[in-house]
Amino acid sequence: MILTYILNSRQVKIINILNKSTQPITSKALAYELDCSTKTVQGEIKEINSTLENVKIDSIRGKGYILVGNVDSIIDKDDEQTNVNIDRVGYILKKILLLYKDKTLKIESLADEMYVSLSTIKNDLKEVKVILENYNLKTISKHKLGISVSGDTKNIIKCIIESSLKYKNINIEDFFSDIVASNISSIRSEILYNIHKKHIIFTDYEFNNIFNYILLSLSLEDNNNHKEFIKI
């Protein structure tokens, strides 16, 4: 079974190098091979381990790194290369949706972060813009600041919820404000209280949709008074 994950090109190279080696490889050797610093290598390995489920990179003290786990799940035996679906569109979409409230992002920084060329990012952005248009959202360019997202909050929320079902790297929780994230239990209780008070019956699916919508609304609107919001 071929699993799909979101890794950048450098992370894919690290996995390929370790997979072909019969001995542990030091971060210094990997850094030399990838033309980057050992600190960058360590950061990439940390990201790989937090992303992959069945494969991990273990560190053997004094020797280096090795690849462990079900390597066959991500390695294509025909060409001995990592079969990874680099879901750039989903990643970029998430980054743009996080730009609500006039936040901006330079596409040059995005290209560096994803370890791809600027032209690749621009091509992926065309697809992302089409997705946003389906929700009456659009990207806008701000001089010397980068790109931002423009549109109604309700449409942004709808896009987030529906995109979270399609793209593995888009999680609704990533859009919660710190206050909402720390009060999820009390917000849930308040919603249930109001539902029972009004004798309304929802299926679990309907309740979860309402719950997520309220959590996102509170977060995107910086509303700290969830009790009053839920009563409306």
Side-chain angles (χ1 to χ4, degrees):
M1 178 181 179
I2 301 299
L3 302 180
T4 57
Y5 297 101
I6 301 156
L7 300 177
N8 63 40
S9 301
R10 184 156 48 201
Q11 292 165 358
V12 171
K13 289 180 182 178
I14 290 174
I15 291 176
N16 285 330
I17 292 170
L18 293 177
N19 183 57
K20 293 177 181 178
S21 177
T22 57
Q23 300 293 329
I25 300 180
T26 65
S27 58
K28 186 175 181 180
L30 286 170
Y32 177 80
E33 188 73 21
L34 299 169
D35 192 25
C36 64
S37 67
T38 55
K39 186 176 181 180
T40 296
V41 168
Q42 292 164 1
E44 297 286 24
I45 289 175
K46 183 178 179 181
E47 184 67 24
I48 290 170
N49 284 336
S50 67
T51 301
L52 300 183
E53 297 175 358
N54 299 322
V55 176
K56 298 295 178 185
I57 296 177
D58 279 354
S59 175
I60 300 177
R61 189 173 182 179
K63 293 185 178 182
Y65 294 104
I66 60 171
L67 197 62
V68 297
N70 184 16
V71 181
D72 288 342
S73 66
I74 61 168
I75 299 296
D76 189 331
K77 295 180 180 179
D78 293 332
D79 59 11
E80 295 184 341
Q81 294 296 311
T82 305
N83 192 327
V84 179
N85 175 27
I86 305 177
D87 189 2
R88 295 191 303 269
V89 171
Y91 186 83
I92 295 171
L93 178 60
K94 174 183 175 180
K95 283 288 188 177
I96 290 178
L97 288 172
L98 284 167
L99 297 177
Y100 59 89
K101 300 176 191 169
D102 294 325
K103 296 176 184 176
T104 58
L105 174 67
K106 291 185 177 180
I107 59 175
E108 293 84 0
S109 299
L110 189 57
D112 290 340
E113 183 179 328
M114 297 178 69
Y115 204 59
V116 296
S117 67
L118 191 59
S119 60
T120 296
I121 290 293
K122 289 181 178 179
N123 285 330
D124 291 336
L125 268 173
K126 293 178 182 178
E127 188 171 344
V128 171
K129 288 178 180 179
V130 172
I131 296 172
L132 292 173
E133 286 173 359
N134 292 329
Y135 298 91
N136 292 319
L137 302 173
K138 63 179 181 179
T139 58
I140 56 176
S141 298
K142 296 188 176 182
H143 184 57
K144 294 185 179 181
L145 294 176
I147 59 174
S148 184
V149 63
S150 174
D152 188 81
T153 301
K154 292 181 180 179
N155 292 333
I156 293 178
I157 292 173
K158 183 179 180 182
C159 184
I160 291 171
I161 292 175
E162 294 185 359
S163 297
S164 70
L165 301 175
K166 183 176 181 180
Y167 299 99
K168 288 187 176 181
N169 57 317
I170 297 182
N171 300 308
I172 292 176
E173 294 83 359
D174 295 333
F175 297 85
F176 293 168
S177 65
D178 291 339
I179 293 178
V180 167
S182 61
N183 286 280
I184 289 179
S185 180
S186 60
I187 294 172
R188 181 186 180 88
S189 297
E190 189 67 24
I191 295 172
L192 288 171
Y193 171 78
N194 280 274
I195 288 175
H196 292 155
K197 184 179 179 181
K198 297 178 181 179
H199 305 290
I200 301 174
I201 298 176
F202 290 116
T203 64
D204 289 342
Y205 175 78
E206 290 170 336
F207 175 79
N208 285 332
N209 281 339
I210 293 171
F211 186 41
N212 285 328
Y213 187 89
I214 290 175
L215 292 175
L216 288 170
S217 295
L218 290 168
S219 298
L220 271 61
E221 296 174 8
D222 277 334
N223 191 328
N224 299 330
N225 192 343
H226 64 268
K227 290 186 177 181
E228 288 299 320
F229 182 85
I230 293 169
K231 288 179 181 179
I232 296 175

